Amino acid sequence: MAEEDLSNQLKNWINQVQEATELSVDEQAEVTKAGAEVFKAELKKVTPVSDRNSDHAKNHVVMQNTDIDGNKNGSSVVGYDSEKAYIMRFMNDGTKYYPRKKSKKFGTNHLNFYSKLFANNSVQNRVLNANAEKLKEIINRKQGGGNE
């Protein structure tokens, strides 16, 4: 009889864990938005600044709480708005006429700045920590607990 009680308790516990961790699309979007906000702030920091005009690309960094096509599926996207995105792609990747090379003004810091940021372990950890904190908050909310 004790085995049946333990078995039932374990099944109930597994069901509670599954219910608490199954996230709706809106909840998934909350989690990814937290990480996207961290990445957005980091992207603004590493975006090269123009010395030719005052409309800097760092002012055009955007975050949307949908996928790249605008579909709400739990994803979040960070990048540049349509006015600067193509320019920043050239800045990051170079072109046939604008090869990536060391410059006197920026050294090598501007070379592949987006790619380097995306691959940076420290930034990845901060994004994942923001996601984890938001996930904990959602699980606590679903279980009826407060923020601990």
Side-chain angles (χ1 to χ4, degrees), residues 14-28:
I14 288 172
N15 288 337
Q16 287 175 342
V17 170
Q18 283 178 334
E19 288 174 12
T21 56
E22 287 179 3
L23 301 178
S24 69
V25 170
D26 288 336
E27 291 167 334
Q28 290 173 26

Side-chain angles (χ1 to χ4, degrees), residues 44-123:
K44 280 185 172 188
K45 289 179 191 174
V46 301
T47 298
V49 178
S50 170
D51 58 350
R52 295 186 186 155
N53 62 42
S54 61
D55 188 24
H56 302 296
K58 68 186 335 178
N59 300 329
H60 294 267
V61 175
V62 294
M63 191 263 321
Q64 64 186 35
N65 205 10
T66 61
D67 68 8
I68 195 73
D69 295 323
N71 300 320
K72 189 156 190 171
N73 60 7
S75 299
S76 294
V77 179
V78 177
Y80 299 95
D81 63 19
S82 59
E83 186 178 337
K84 297 289 183 182
Y86 75 99
I87 296 168
M88 298 317 294
R89 184 182 148 256
F90 295 145
M91 290 293 296
N92 186 66
D93 299 341
T95 68
K96 178 179 174 183
Y97 302 105
Y98 184 62
R100 304 312 305 150
K101 60 184 177 192
K102 185 175 179 178
S103 79
K104 291 179 183 176
K105 181 176 180 182
F106 296 112
T108 58
N109 291 338
H110 70 294
L111 304 178
N112 299 313
F113 66 95
Y114 189 90
S115 306
K116 288 178 183 176
L117 177 66
F118 194 75
N120 184 313
N121 287 335
S122 175
V123 173

Side-chain angles (χ1 to χ4, degrees), residues 3-37:
E3 289 177 17
E4 288 179 21
D5 288 340
L6 179 60
S7 177
N8 286 335
Q9 288 175 355
L10 287 173
K11 285 179 185 175
N12 288 337
W13 178 76
I14 288 172
N15 288 337
Q16 287 175 342
V17 170
Q18 283 178 334
E19 288 174 12
T21 56
E22 287 179 3
L23 301 178
S24 69
V25 170
D26 288 336
E27 291 167 334
Q28 290 173 26
E30 277 185 67
V31 171
T32 59
K33 182 180 179 184
E37 288 172 347

